[in-house]
Amino acid sequence: MRTQVCIVGGGPSGLLLAQLLHRAGIDNVLLEKHSRAYVLGRIRAGVLEHGFARLMQEAGCGERMAREGQVHHGFWIARDGRLERVDLHKHSGGGSVIVYGQTELTRDLYEARERMGGTVLHEAEAVALEGLTTERPSVVYRKDGRTERVECEFVIGADGFHGVCRRAIPAGALREYERTYPFGWLGVLSRTPPVSPELIYVKHARGFALCSLRSNVLSRYYIQVPLSDRIEDWPDEAFWEELKRRLPADVAARLVTGPAIEKSIAPLRAYVAEPMRYGRLFLAGDAAHIVPPTGARGLNSAASDLYYLSRALIAWYRDRDASGLDGYSARALARVWKAQRFSWWMTMLLHEFPETSAYERRLQEAELDYLFSSERALGALAENYVGLPY
Ligand code: APR
Ligand code: PHB
């Protein structure tokens, strides 16, 4: 098979890029190793920047998000049994975020792709990338027990953190940065009304907690757990009990509990690979960088990659202008690192670290006291949370 751009990975990054290129008249083929049902079964992030929504509009898939997504102008931080509000609108100069689940967003992207007749090969696993430093690279993939090949002009590695594309870059050409945290988040999705219309991030001596939501009838809650914990250690009742212990009493009293529709433990880690390009291979989204979920930066960091990359490819195909492609890695990484910094800061601020000394604990408290006593500190939090410009 021949195409202009071969995109590896049918998560939000690959799908959104495929749509943006398709609308610009650039032929592309997308390979996804799992079935569509499997991809849509994954529960992930839910807080989006307006920049992401604009890309969805541009890709012709933003209608339902505009209709059903909830605009949030603030969130809460709970500590010592009380709630303090971060007014995003006021402190970011009019900003807000959109609450809309990644599952819904991925469904919208698949449906748009279908309407436009774009090629998505499901259960097609890329196994090797060849000729990346030539003008005619190709992707070798396995489907239905057969080995096939896509010949193309560019390869996009949008195959997530565990994908093959990043690993196709020779070790000497790649620099990796990593931080693992000594805990994970146990997440529960339940068909219950959310305890609060706005998110609540909870700092508590027993560990961090988060009250989030997907809609007025669908809630998403998390608690910090040790890495040694397993899902079997956490029957629904135990989860709700522990969550209530970490919430301020009045919030705990109005929490509506119910059976978990989904329950999983995700370790917290940060990772960045530099550069995000090798020859004709360009990495985007989780394939190149991941963040702990604390500041809701994951999907939003992917969005800025896709913005820069779509513009770069469009300029190349329209005018043979290579400047966007040449500058892609540096531009994308400049924003990626700011998102890394922000999620690191929020993670350090709100979690219990097993080895934290009494001194460091007091610093954490001082940081929070400072935050809520300073308009400028709140401004720094708010402008990062709603998303830095790109
Ligand atoms: N061949 C084809 N597809 C592959 C391969 C491969 N060798 N390896 C992985 N994939 C697919 C995965 O099955 C997955 O569907 O690539 C996709 C990558 O999707 P994600 O992991 O969702 O990564 P990305 O699209 O960059 O999404 C950005 O934002 O909310 C955050 O981390 C969250 O997933 C989210 C991310
Ligand atoms: C979520 O709703 O899944 C969510 C929200 C905010 C975060 C992380 C996760 O910071």
Side-chain angles (χ1 to χ4, degrees):
M1 196 185 308
R2 285 201 64 88
T3 187
Q4 289 175 306
V5 179
C6 179
I7 300 172
V8 184
S13 298
L15 285 165
L16 183 50
L17 185 69
Q19 280 303 111
L20 292 168
L21 297 184
H22 187 97
R23 305 251 308 184
I26 300 171
D27 189 55
N28 64 83
V29 167
L30 189 148
L31 306 176
E32 165 55 51
K33 86 169 173 189
H34 290 295
S35 67
R36 177 167 161 166
Y38 178 94
V39 173
L40 289 175
R42 295 188 299 217
I43 310 290
R44 285 182 171 172
V47 175
L48 303 173
E49 296 172 7
H50 283 277
F52 196 100
R54 278 193 295 277
L55 281 181
M56 287 288 283
Q57 292 290 357
E58 186 186 323
C61 344
E63 238 174 71
R64 193 161 69 100
M65 184 193 271
R67 217 174 40 242
E68 295 177 16
Q70 296 185 3
V71 175
H72 283 210
H73 291 107
F75 64 83
W76 299 87
I77 292 182
R79 56 173 177 146
D80 303 331
R82 67 201 152 90
L83 288 165
E84 284 166 299
R85 186 163 184 266
V86 177
D87 187 332
L88 291 173
H89 194 257
K90 175 176 167 200
H91 293 295
S92 71
S96 57
V97 289
I98 303 166
V99 170
Y100 189 69
Q102 186 169 322
T103 311
E104 301 310 313
L105 175 160
T106 310
R107 189 188 309 281
D108 296 345
L109 285 163
Y110 270 125
E111 282 172 7
R113 182 87 182 153
E114 223 162 55
R115 277 199 305 277
M116 291 179 195
T119 312
V120 178
L121 298 178
H122 275 287
E123 290 163 73
E125 178 172 8
V127 289
L129 313 188
E130 293 176 0
L132 292 176
T133 52
T134 71
E135 290 183 0
R136 290 267 174 268
S138 59
V139 178
V140 179
Y141 67 95
R142 300 271 309 159
K143 182 170 168 60
D144 303 329
R146 291 211 307 274
T147 301
E148 313 271 357
R149 177 185 296 270
V150 181
E151 291 178 350
C152 55
E153 293 160 5
F154 293 97
V155 180
I156 309 302
D159 50 348
F161 184 62
H162 301 286
V164 292
C165 292
R166 186 179 68 244
R167 282 184 267 138
I169 302 177
L174 197 72
R175 176 124 198 232
E176 298 174 280
Y177 301 84
E178 190 164 16
R179 181 187 185 95
T180 52
Y181 291 89
F183 43 74
W185 280 15
L186 167 61
V188 159
L189 185 72
S190 65
R191 202 163 297 288
T192 51
V195 71
S196 160
E198 290 183 340
L199 274 68
I200 307 177
Y201 289 85
V202 185
K203 164 111 182 69
H204 193 277
R206 296 182 64 86
F208 170 81
L210 171 62
C211 305
S212 183
L213 65 153
R214 293 290 176 272
S215 72
N216 293 335
V217 292
L218 205 54
S219 299
R220 182 71 167 157
Y221 297 103
Y222 298 94
I223 55 172
Q224 174 187 348
V225 293
L227 280 177
S228 51
D229 280 16
R230 290 162 315 145
I231 274 301
E232 304 77 68
D233 302 331
W234 288 99
D236 292 0
E237 269 318 302
F239 174 84
W240 295 120
E241 272 316 299
E242 184 57 34
L243 176 63
K244 282 185 193 167
R245 293 177 78 164
R246 299 183 190 187
L247 298 177
D250 55 329
V251 179
R254 51 171 207 268
L255 178 73
V256 181
T257 64
I261 307 171
E262 195 263 359
K263 196 191 288 169
S264 53
I265 297 181
L268 265 67
R269 85 198 294 182
Y271 172 91
V272 182
E274 291 186 348
M276 290 169 63
R277 171 191 190 171
Y278 177 71
R280 289 270 177 134
L281 167 67
F282 291 82
L283 302 177
D286 276 20
H289 45 78
I290 55 174
V291 282
T294 324
R297 295 299 86 199
L299 192 49
N300 293 308
S301 291
S304 49
D305 295 352
L306 304 174
Y307 174 84
Y308 297 129
L309 191 51
S310 58
R311 263 91 195 135
L313 286 164
I314 291 167
W316 169 259
Y317 279 110
R318 198 184 45 211
D319 309 318
R320 291 290 139 176
D321 172 1
S323 60
L325 292 172
D326 290 340
Y328 168 67
S329 178
R331 289 180 82 192
L333 283 166
R335 192 171 190 276
V336 160
W337 275 110
K338 291 184 192 113
Q340 292 280 332
R341 184 208 69 84
F342 179 64
S343 58
W344 163 80
W345 177 79
M346 256 188 100
T347 303
M348 298 301 285
L349 182 70
L350 297 172
H351 289 79
E352 282 300 304
F353 287 76
E355 283 112 47
T356 300
S357 66
Y359 177 80
E360 286 161 315
R361 205 173 299 278
R362 298 291 276 138
L363 284 184
Q364 253 182 339
E365 287 164 15
E367 180 88 32
L368 275 164
D369 286 343
Y370 168 61
L371 177 68
F372 285 108
S373 68
S374 161
E375 299 264 311
R376 290 199 184 97
L378 283 166
L381 165 54
E383 77 167 344
N384 279 279
Y385 197 90
V386 303
L388 297 173
Y390 56 85

